[in-house]
Amino acid sequence: MSYRSITIRNRKDWDEYINRSCAHEGFHTWYYHSLNTEGEPLLFVYEEKELFIALPVIKRKIESSEYFDMTCVYGYSGPISNIILTSLPASTTMQFKAAFTNFMREESTICIFSRLHPFLNQHHLLENIGGITDNGTTLYVDLSVTVEEQQSRYDKRLGRQIRSLRRMGFVIKEADTVQEIEDFAEMYYKNMDRLNASSNYYFDVQHFINLLNEEYMKNKLILIYDGPNLMCGALILLSDNIVRNHLSATSPDYLNISPSKLLTDEISMIGRRLGKKIFHLGGGVGGKEDSLFNFKKLFSNLQVKDRIWCYINDEPAYNDLVLRSGVDTNPEIKFFPLYRHPNRKTQAATSEPETTTIENLN
């Protein structure tokens, strides 16, 4: 069977493939990948007659090594295609594996990590290339049902709380100034401090501004005010059928009344007005059914599996790097690639996030 594979680095060709796919999100675009600070964005494309499969990655240099590895952007990316992935014949998945592993060798890349999109069935393509790991479940709201049916699925106490918050007359608006973005960012940083969040979650103000660039993205920053006081907000990402709360925060002065409940309900209404079918709530931290998961579950018990893809293309090189890193090889450690573990012997002198942890990507 004849096929070809190409590696794309420019915006025009990259987004032409993305726009021809059956389904994609802003996470897949050249622009979103251009915002990363970890390495070089690449789009690997496999083509077989009229069919194509495109996989965006970030290629990173491995410290004190001749090798590279690959990871995904913050969010949900993974492979996309111009046909439904579950319709791919076995012969195509085998040829894709051969082409992709050859691509990794050509790029001197020894392994890859990617978080998979929960609604695109990407595991069908990747389950025979390395390992697919379940990372708990992720929750969503079905926006194709009536508003009444959606809200009837809310926790009963939650419904009363949302109605009470709406009666208080808080102002809900879309941010339209840089000052509002900066105010949200300051509130977001305070939330991350309170939660002792990983450094990977501290995005600078420009990153928020970039995510709201109307030329390349369709996102919105939704804010709730009590008079002049900013109570809470969320930067929501929009794709053809999905709306999701990407980054959110609540002022410490208003935690006691939980305005995030009103905000979450409002995001679902925005999604409806824009014709979206799914409001993706996400899961708990590290796939755990923790307090964050339980908060989201108040809105819906609809769940799909959250999956992670890890593949080692050069076992000897990978094992040598792990050995030289001095990291404990206990199989209970959920960290990939292991040689980037924070407890390794040597750490790169850089302020850029360089580790990928399975446990803190939610």
Side-chain angles (χ1 to χ4, degrees):
M1 183 181 297
S2 62
Y3 68 87
R4 74 165 186 155
S5 60
I6 55 177
T7 304
I8 295 174
R9 291 174 166 85
N10 67 83
R11 179 178 66 85
K12 180 178 180 296
D13 293 338
W14 184 308
D15 284 346
E16 279 185 1
Y17 278 102
I18 301 306
N19 292 331
R20 286 169 51 204
S21 66
C22 289
H24 66 272
E25 289 209 45
F27 295 128
H28 292 98
T29 63
W30 172 89
Y31 179 73
Y32 189 80
H33 279 74
S34 75
L35 301 181
N36 96 92
T37 59
E38 290 192 83
E40 179 188 12
L42 301 174
L43 182 70
F44 170 76
V45 178
Y46 168 92
E47 289 188 311
E48 184 182 293
K49 295 183 179 179
E50 299 302 316
L51 177 154
F52 77 82
I53 301 167
L55 175 57
V57 299
I58 301 296
K59 178 183 175 183
R60 306 180 298 184
K61 186 75 175 72
I62 301 173
E63 175 190 0
S64 302
S65 167
E66 62 186 289
Y67 298 111
F68 297 80
D69 59 20
M70 291 177 180
T71 189
C72 63
V73 288
Y74 178 82
Y76 300 90
S77 54
I80 55 176
S81 176
N82 59 339
I83 70 168
I84 298 172
L85 292 175
T86 52
S87 299
L88 291 173
S91 59
T92 296
T93 61
M94 290 175 60
Q95 293 280 24
F96 173 84
K97 178 178 180 179
F100 183 72
T101 54
N102 185 58
F103 159 71
M104 292 184 72
R105 283 191 296 271
E106 291 176 349
E107 296 291 336
S108 301
T109 300
I110 65 171
C111 65
I112 183 170
F113 168 95
S114 182
R115 187 169 184 182
L116 302 185
H117 194 293
F119 300 103
L120 296 184
N121 293 310
Q122 295 162 330
H123 62 285
H124 178 76
L125 172 65
L126 301 174
E127 57 193 359
N128 293 318
I129 311 174
I132 301 295
T133 303
D134 287 345
N135 190 43
T137 59
T138 186
L139 298 152
Y140 69 97
V141 175
D142 182 359
L143 299 182
S144 66
V145 302
T146 64
V147 173
E148 293 74 21
E149 185 173 350
Q150 172 192 321
Q151 294 179 340
S152 72
R153 299 174 182 176
Y154 286 3
D155 174 85
K156 290 184 180 179
R157 186 162 174 255
L158 171 68
R160 292 195 297 270
Q161 290 171 326
I162 292 173
R163 290 190 290 273
S164 176
L165 286 165
R166 288 197 179 276
R167 287 194 295 267
M168 292 180 182
F170 300 128
V171 175
I172 305 174
K173 70 181 296 285
E174 181 180 345
D176 54 13
T177 68
V178 172
Q179 184 60 57
E180 287 176 318
I181 299 173
E182 291 176 346
D183 292 343
F184 170 76
E186 181 180 353
M187 181 172 65
Y188 174 83
Y189 299 143
K190 289 179 180 178
N191 266 223
M192 295 301 100
D193 291 343
R194 178 172 58 84
L195 297 170
N196 295 314
S198 162
S199 61
N200 293 357
Y201 289 98
Y202 283 81
F203 308 99
D204 61 27
V205 174
Q206 189 60 47
H207 184 74
F208 294 104
I209 294 172
N210 291 340
L211 285 175
L212 296 166
N213 185 324
E214 294 181 357
E215 181 180 357
Y216 297 107
M217 307 294 279
K218 302 175 183 179
N219 306 327
K220 298 177 183 293
L221 176 58
I222 308 301
L223 305 172
I224 301 183
Y225 286 89
D226 177 14
N229 301 317
L230 179 58
M231 301 170 63
C232 66
L235 199 159
I236 63 173
L237 304 188
L238 299 162
S239 64
D240 288 345
N241 294 309
I242 299 174
V243 56
R244 61 165 45 85
N245 181 344
H246 184 55
L247 300 168
S248 61
T250 299
S251 166
D253 298 331
Y254 288 91
L255 288 171
N256 61 320
I257 64 169
S258 297
S260 56
K261 294 176 180 176
L262 171 59
L263 178 63
T264 304
D265 184 63
E266 184 64 22
I267 293 171
S268 75
M269 298 301 116
I270 293 170
R272 285 179 171 278
R273 290 196 291 272
L274 295 174
K276 310 309 175 187
K277 303 301 182 186
I278 292 172
F279 174 19
H280 185 203
L281 297 167
V285 177
K288 299 181 178 68
E289 295 191 9
D290 55 9
S291 58
L292 177 60
F293 181 90
N294 289 329
F295 170 80
K296 294 172 180 178
K297 195 174 179 181
L298 295 174
F299 292 86
S300 176
N301 194 34
L302 296 175
Q303 302 178 38
V304 292
K305 285 185 177 181
D306 192 19
R307 295 182 172 98
I308 288 169
W309 175 44
C310 301
Y311 172 62
I312 299 172
N313 196 47
D314 188 334
E315 291 272 2
Y318 179 89
N319 292 336
D320 180 62
L321 285 167
V322 172
L323 182 64
R324 288 196 281 131
S325 72
V327 175
D328 183 358
T329 56
N330 185 334
E332 296 299 316
I333 297 177
K334 294 183 178 180
F335 200 100
F336 187 88
L338 197 54
Y339 54 79
R340 288 188 181 269
H341 195 285
N343 293 335
R344 65 193 186 281
K345 288 178 181 177
T346 58
Q347 303 209 24
T350 174
S351 60
E352 296 178 355
E354 61 162 31
T355 58
T356 300
T357 168
I358 293 174
E359 293 185 336
N360 70 354
L361 278 172
N362 279 349

